[in-house]
Amino acid sequence: MKFPRRTFLQLAVGAAALPAVPRLARAQAYPSRPVRIVVGFAAGGATDIQARLMGQWLSDRLGQQFIIENRAGASGNIGTEAVAKAPADGYTLLQIVTPHAINAALYSNLSFDFIRDIAPVICSARLAYVVVVHPSVPATTIPEFIAYARANPGKVNYGSAGPGTPQNIACELFKMMAGVNLVHVPYRGGAPATTDLVGGQIQVIFAPVSESIQYIKAGNLRALAVTTAKRLDVLPDVPTVADFVPGFEASGFAGIGAPRDAPADIIDMLNKELNAGLADSKVKARIVELGGTVLGGSPAEFRTIISEATEKWAKVIKFAGIKAE
């Protein structure tokens, strides 16, 4: 049976469009029930706050609850494993942060491969750390602190939330590039480390802005520099470490991911909605308050950020001989 040319072309075009119909219908129906955003860290911290900010935006936009589920432990690995093994249907997401890139080099016996098993959705923000010292430290600038550390090798203690955490890795990079000898004092979390810094038991921390800014403003801690390439809006008078140690950069990141086989159309929808959220003035203001710089962009761009961070921190971990607890 022969068809007129016009009829044939119409049938061909219709047939080509058929595979897109189920994808379109699925995206339009999503989400039809609550969605979990797994956070591999305790409630109340910067990672948790970031996740709740994005989750609330998605709940308001998409008409279903995006529920934050805290699965703390093993530097975020417990939560990551739960997402990696979850059904790839878009109903389980992961709050991705800097430790995920660090863990890829720090742990060799994980049951998952983060870069392979987690699909990036969006990088919502770059996150800064700030070099804070106890007021008793005789330094008001990074050059003065470097001079003080060199004059007291092995006598200046720095705190962190534990081995392999961003505070630990950032300070080890600083030690490498500035040529100073600082002694690591690990804690079980950033809060107790900051408490001891305020009390004078340790001298310095490369602290998340969200954990230290109240102490900086109150005069309990002195901010010497931020670790990002540019100054922060929330601390405009504080210079960058790179102003004095050329090439230094130790920013973190926060974003959303999904199991690796999550439908591409759902990832695209989430990316679009989250980019819209990052353009909202209230959301942007909250991220800035947390010491972040709004990013956004495509899943591919986030994958590049993760890959570059993984490679960078692997070199620091190897050089410093850092071992997981």
Side-chain angles (χ1 to χ4, degrees):
M1 181 178 182
K2 293 185 177 181
F3 295 102
R5 178 176 176 78
R6 178 177 297 177
T7 304
F8 177 81
L9 290 174
Q10 290 173 339
L11 289 170
V13 170
L18 282 176
V21 173
R23 294 197 300 268
L24 180 61
R26 179 175 56 204
Q28 289 176 338
Y30 175 87
S32 60
R33 53 188 169 86
V35 179
R36 293 188 304 155
I37 301 179
V38 176
V39 177
F41 302 88
T47 301
D48 180 69
I49 294 170
Q50 288 274 351
R52 292 178 189 278
L53 184 65
M54 295 293 97
Q56 187 60 56
W57 175 266
L58 290 172
S59 296
D60 294 342
R61 293 275 289 196
L62 298 179
Q64 284 286 350
Q65 287 298 306
F66 281 70
I67 301 167
I68 305 305
E69 181 179 312
N70 297 94
R71 299 284 293 272
S75 298
N77 287 325
I78 291 175
T80 305
E81 182 178 32
V83 175
K85 295 182 177 180
D89 55 9
Y91 287 90
T92 302
L93 305 175
L94 176 69
Q95 176 72 2
I96 298 176
V97 285
T98 314
H100 291 106
I102 294 171
N103 291 346
L106 195 61
Y107 296 87
S108 59
N109 59 346
L110 297 174
S111 64
F112 60 88
D113 182 314
F114 177 74
I115 292 177
R116 180 196 65 202
D117 294 334
I118 301 296
V121 174
I122 192 170
C123 186
S124 56
R126 279 283 187 189
L127 302 176
Y129 305 99
V130 57
V131 184
V132 284
V133 297
H134 186 265
S136 64
V137 174
T140 59
T141 67
I142 287 295
E144 289 177 355
F145 179 73
I146 290 173
Y148 173 69
R150 287 176 177 171
N152 297 275
K155 297 180 181 180
V156 180
N157 299 324
Y158 82 89
S160 80
T165 57
Q167 299 99 310
N168 174 211
I169 303 293
C171 195
E172 289 298 326
L173 177 63
F174 177 78
K175 288 170 57 178
M176 288 166 51
M177 297 184 68
V180 294
N181 180 8
L182 307 176
V183 179
H184 182 208
V185 181
Y187 290 80
R188 292 191 176 278
T194 303
T195 298
D196 270 11
L197 179 63
V198 171
Q201 280 74 43
I202 54 177
Q203 286 74 53
V204 62
I205 296 179
F206 280 56
V209 173
S210 60
E211 294 180 4
S212 57
I213 192 165
Q214 61 177 326
Y215 298 106
I216 294 169
K217 291 183 175 180
N220 302 122
L221 297 176
R222 182 186 304 131
L224 302 186
V226 295
T227 64
T228 41
K230 297 180 180 180
R231 295 192 182 201
L232 301 179
D233 290 341
V234 73
L235 292 170
D237 297 327
V238 180
T240 69
V241 175
D243 288 338
F244 312 103
V245 183
F248 182 92
E249 195 276 341
S251 64
F253 56 80
I256 297 290
R260 65 174 175 176
D261 293 324
D265 51 319
I266 289 178
I267 287 179
D268 290 342
M269 171 195 279
L270 290 170
N271 177 268
K272 178 182 177 181
E273 294 295 344
L274 288 168
N275 269 308
L278 295 172
D280 180 81
S281 59
K282 291 182 180 179
V283 173
K284 290 172 69 173
R286 185 66 177 124
I287 290 174
V288 169
E289 288 175 5
L290 293 168
T293 301
V294 174
L295 283 188
S298 69
E301 289 170 327
F302 191 15
R303 184 175 294 281
T304 297
I305 289 171
I306 293 170
S307 296
E308 290 177 349
T310 301
E311 181 179 356
K312 176 178 180 175
W313 297 128
K315 293 177 181 177
V316 177
I317 288 168
K318 182 177 181 181
F319 182 89
I322 298 171
K323 303 293 183 182
E325 287 186 316

